[in-house]
């Protein structure tokens, strides 16, 4: 695997996302509170661009008539049909078998690289 440097750390603030290209791949780099994460810019359902997805939280399991919003800033919601994905792993929130491909991100000397 090779590390492809795609941007500098200071180019992306916490809570922001950026589209980058590595060869033929379009990837989205997200900066969360605890670091950088990279997902394919392609929803596994019908191919929507994940960059256009709203980043927020999700409804956590709770008692009847209770509402518990959780994981704010860690979940991306597909812009076309609303499937939710964990930015840190690419996993959908509804199935272990559905995921956006994710890639390890390496930060070194202020440079953000994706290992592919
Ligand atoms: S294209 Fe993403 S949920 Fe349908």
């Amino acid at each position: 695997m090779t590390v492809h440097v795609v941007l500098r750390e200071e180019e992306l603030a916490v809570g922001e996302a950026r589209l980058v290209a590595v060869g033929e791949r379009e990837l989205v780099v997200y900066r969360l509170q605890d670091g950088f994460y990279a997902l394919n810019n392609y929803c596994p359902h019908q191919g929507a661009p994940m960059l256009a997805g709203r980043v927020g939280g999700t409804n956590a399991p709770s008692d009847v008539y209770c509402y518990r919003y959780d994981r704010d800033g860690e979940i991306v919601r597909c812009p076309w049909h609303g499937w939710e994905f964990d930015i840190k792993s690419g996993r959908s929130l509804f199935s272990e078998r559905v995921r956006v491909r994710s890639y390890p991100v390496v930060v070194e000397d202020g440079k953000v690289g994706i290992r592919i």
Side-chain angles (χ1 to χ4, degrees), residues 7 13 15 26 28 36 38 51 53 66 68 72 75 90 95-96 100 114:
L7 51 90
E26 272 191 2
V28 184
F36 292 85
L51 181 68
C66 290
R68 193 163 68 87
D72 193 23
I75 306 298
S95 171
E96 291 281 318
V100 178
I114 300 174

Side-chain angles (χ1 to χ4, degrees), residues 11-26:
E11 291 180 72
L12 209 57
V14 171
E16 290 183 340
R18 168 89 47 92
L19 185 67
V20 299
V22 177
E24 299 289 310
R25 294 180 171 95
E26 272 191 2

Side-chain angles (χ1 to χ4, degrees), residues 43 45-48 78 80-83:
C43 178
H45 180 218
Q46 291 183 351
C78 177
W80 287 0
H81 310 104
W83 289 9

Side-chain angles (χ1 to χ4, degrees), residues 26-75:
E26 272 191 2
L27 309 175
V28 184
V29 177
Y30 298 90
R31 185 170 189 178
L32 306 189
Q33 290 289 346
D34 64 350
F36 292 85
Y37 298 89
L39 297 178
N40 258 350
N41 187 33
Y42 186 87
C43 178
H45 180 218
Q46 291 183 351
M50 296 307 295
L51 181 68
R54 183 178 61 80
V55 174
T58 190
N59 295 319
S62 60
D63 293 335
V64 177
Y65 302 120
C66 290
Y67 176 81
R68 193 163 68 87
Y69 188 70
D70 198 17
R71 303 192 61 200
D72 193 23
E74 298 180 9
I75 306 298

